[in-house]
Amino acid sequence: MITVQGFEGLRVGVLGLGRSGLATCAALAAGGAEVCAWDDSAEGRAKAEAAGFACVDLTRQDAVPQLSVLITSPGIPHLFPKPHPVIAAALQAGVPVDNDIGLFFRALTDSDEPPKVVCVTGSNGKSTTTALIAHVLNDAGRAVEVAGNIGTGVLAIDLPGEDGVVVLELSSYQSDLARILAPDVAVFTNFSPDHLDRHGGLGGYFAAKRRLFSEGAPARAVIGVDEPEGQYLAMQYAEDAQDSRAIRISSGQRLQGQGWSVFARRGHLAEWRGGRQVASIDLRNIPGLPGAHNHQNACAAYAALRALGLAPRAIEAGLTSFKGLPHRSQLIAEKDGVRYVNDSKATNVDSAAKALQAFPKIRWIAGGLGKDGGLEALVPHLGAVVKAYMIGHSARDFALQLGDTPHEICETMARAVARAVAEAEPGEVVLLAPAAASFDQYPDFEKRGEDFTALVQAALNG
């Protein structure tokens, strides 16, 4: 656990008592702060009290002005669509608002041997890129801790020392509010519309991502330039075309110029510096990294690892042994020439499009709680779909947008899996890539993916 100093004897409010909130309470208490914990749910408050933290009703009119600072969990709105009442009270009273990421970077200033910190943000591929960086570092014998939007709350980790590395996945919710951002290496994977209600539109969403670079001022910036937003960010970060502080990455295009770039084309990763190629890796036969979207993740991870000083061959060894993450293009079974892939994390059309481009013949299970626009943006990417099986709240609306693509309205995951398993032929892939949120039928995308996996295994072993 990290001890957060600087609040000894001061009242510090902690709003939201999930994984990161409880870790924040413990880190502040260890530093001598008087922690005033609050969660809108009785269950959250009960967990905090069981862990020994006093709950104070921060919704009371007189509670927030007594705080020195308010620390909030990332899922709680602080501006759009409207601030949570406790945060609104803090803004009115002039009480600073921060989150655990800001506290983490504050704590690093008190460390005698601070580790290197890599922060990964972007719309898609954050978790895989984060896990991939950590896996290669671990494979190379470096001490590494992974936290943030993936796995552990950042204040719950133990710092690995100056030879170690902390790899943080940061959502836009986290980077938007942190009062201090100071990574050694920052990664921007890609950009597509998401969380627009939370950020007041596309501009606000990009601004939240951009803070990691504009205010974090990393020594190296790894920036995906396959979209205009990434190109703009790279242009702003680099002093000139030869500035090697910015490492431009791409999947599908050869990058030009004299600077530092890493790109993948036709399954081969190439690193270029000063106008010449310095390394390459064949990604085509790495089972944990299927498809162009994972090749983009590999480019991002490779660039970050090179920025940390790892040699190309050491990185290649780590990439080859990477098994992938659950619910992200995860191969869960293969029988009679049919592969079954769980990409439940594909909760928006952009990530689903990338999954649909990764395989040649697909029986596609999709649907759930649809987002604005439905499947319209996916229509150009349906060429490999042999048949679609629609589930969840949006099943019928999605079906209307499929055009001539063969489809069946199944509504439930159980029926969709049963039909896809029965109809699949050798050489095909049964792919769960919902292009929708899970909350109509499941508490989260993990439970949706677990249900798909269990149903497939039962069907194949029955």
Side-chain angles (χ1 to χ4, degrees):
M1 181 186 70
I2 295 172
T3 299
V4 176
Q5 306 285 353
F7 299 103
E8 293 85 352
L10 301 178
R11 291 171 63 88
V12 178
V14 177
L15 177 64
L17 301 175
R19 179 190 65 195
S20 65
L22 291 177
T24 298
C25 289
L28 286 164
E34 180 186 346
V35 176
C36 303
W38 181 253
D39 194 290
D40 290 337
S41 75
E43 180 182 3
R45 297 194 296 272
K47 288 182 180 179
E49 289 173 343
F53 303 115
C55 286
V56 175
D57 186 355
L58 296 179
T59 64
R60 291 196 333 253
Q61 187 173 3
D62 63 338
V64 171
Q66 299 179 40
L67 302 177
S68 294
V69 65
L70 175 66
I71 310 300
T72 181
S73 293
I76 300 174
H78 59 272
L79 190 56
F80 300 109
K82 65 178 182 178
H84 184 282
V86 173
I87 297 178
L91 298 177
Q92 288 181 334
V95 174
V97 181
D98 204 350
N99 60 17
D100 62 334
I101 301 300
L103 291 183
F104 165 76
F105 282 111
R106 177 189 178 112
L108 283 190
T109 63
D110 297 322
S111 174
D112 295 330
E113 298 181 339
K116 297 291 187 182
V117 180
V118 179
C119 290
V120 181
T121 194
S123 296
N124 296 301
K126 296 187 299 296
S127 295
T128 298
T129 300
T130 300
L132 191 52
I133 293 169
H135 172 81
V136 176
L137 287 168
N138 186 67
D139 192 64
R142 296 282 293 273
V144 60
E145 292 283 348
V146 180
N149 200 47
I150 182 175
T152 307
V154 65
L155 295 176
I157 68 172
D158 293 320
L159 292 179
E162 65 178 343
D163 292 328
V165 182
V166 176
V167 188
L168 300 181
E169 177 190 338
L170 296 188
S171 70
S172 57
Y173 296 178
Q174 293 167 309
S175 62
D176 194 22
L177 188 61
R179 294 175 67 85
I180 301 175
L181 291 166
D184 297 283
V185 180
V187 180
F188 180 88
T189 58
N190 49 53
F191 189 80
S192 61
D194 209 354
H195 309 305
L196 301 188
D197 58 336
R198 174 64 182 265
H199 296 292
L202 192 61
Y205 177 49
F206 178 60
K209 298 289 188 185
R210 182 176 172 271
R211 284 194 76 237
L212 183 60
F213 301 84
S214 61
E215 300 188 29
R220 299 281 188 201
V222 176
I223 302 173
V225 294
D226 286 334
E227 298 87 27
E229 291 82 3
Q231 296 165 12
Y232 177 81
L233 184 59
M235 177 275 295
Q236 284 203 314
Y237 194 79
E239 290 292 333
D240 54 47
Q242 289 79 39
D243 191 345
S244 63
R245 293 182 308 153
I247 309 175
R248 298 158 66 234
I249 65 166
S250 172
S251 176
Q253 62 173 317
R254 176 174 176 170
L255 298 178
Q256 306 293 325
Q258 296 294 309
W260 194 350
S261 64
V262 179
F263 56 87
R265 295 181 70 216
R266 301 186 182 95
H268 289 82
L269 179 152
E271 178 188 1
W272 284 65
R273 298 185 73 173
R276 66 183 184 90
Q277 183 172 328
V278 297
S280 66
I281 298 174
D282 188 346
L283 302 172
R284 292 173 298 176
N285 296 318
I286 299 179
L289 296 169
H293 60 306
N294 275 310
H295 293 175
Q296 183 183 60
N297 297 335
C299 288
Y302 177 96
L305 291 159
R306 290 288 283 143
L308 291 171
L310 269 70
R313 295 285 77 85
I315 299 173
E316 182 176 9
L319 295 180
T320 302
S321 62
F322 182 65
K323 302 300 183 185
L325 284 180
H327 317 298
R328 298 162 177 86
S329 295
Q330 177 191 15
L331 178 64
I332 59 170
E334 186 169 358
K335 185 175 182 180
D336 298 331
V338 179
R339 288 179 290 167
Y340 298 85
V341 175
N342 167 21
D343 204 341
S344 182
K345 183 62 169 64
T347 58
N348 58 42
V349 294
D350 186 68
S351 53
K354 290 178 170 60
L356 290 171
Q357 295 172 66
F359 307 102
K361 296 180 180 179
I362 299 170
R363 294 192 178 270
W364 177 37
I365 299 175
L369 190 61
K371 298 184 178 181
D372 290 346
L375 294 184
E376 184 177 354
L378 276 178
V379 172
H381 306 293
L382 300 180
V385 176
V386 177
K387 183 177 177 179
Y389 305 82
M390 299 288 101
I391 65 171
H393 179 270
S394 61
R396 297 183 185 278
D397 290 338
F398 276 15
L400 293 174
Q401 297 178 295
L402 291 175
D404 295 332
T405 302
H407 62 272
E408 181 177 339
I409 297 175
C410 297
E411 295 188 345
T412 67
M413 183 73 77
R415 177 167 175 78
V417 169
R419 295 291 294 151
V421 170
E423 296 179 350
E425 299 178 358
E428 296 180 346
V429 172
V430 175
L431 170 68
L432 171 66
S438 61
F439 306 127
D440 57 333
Q441 294 178 316
Y442 302 94
D444 49 47
F445 73 84
E446 289 96 343
K447 288 293 187 291
R448 177 171 59 190
E450 290 166 5
D451 190 29
F452 171 74
T453 300
L455 289 166
V456 167
Q457 292 174 344
L460 297 183
N461 298 326

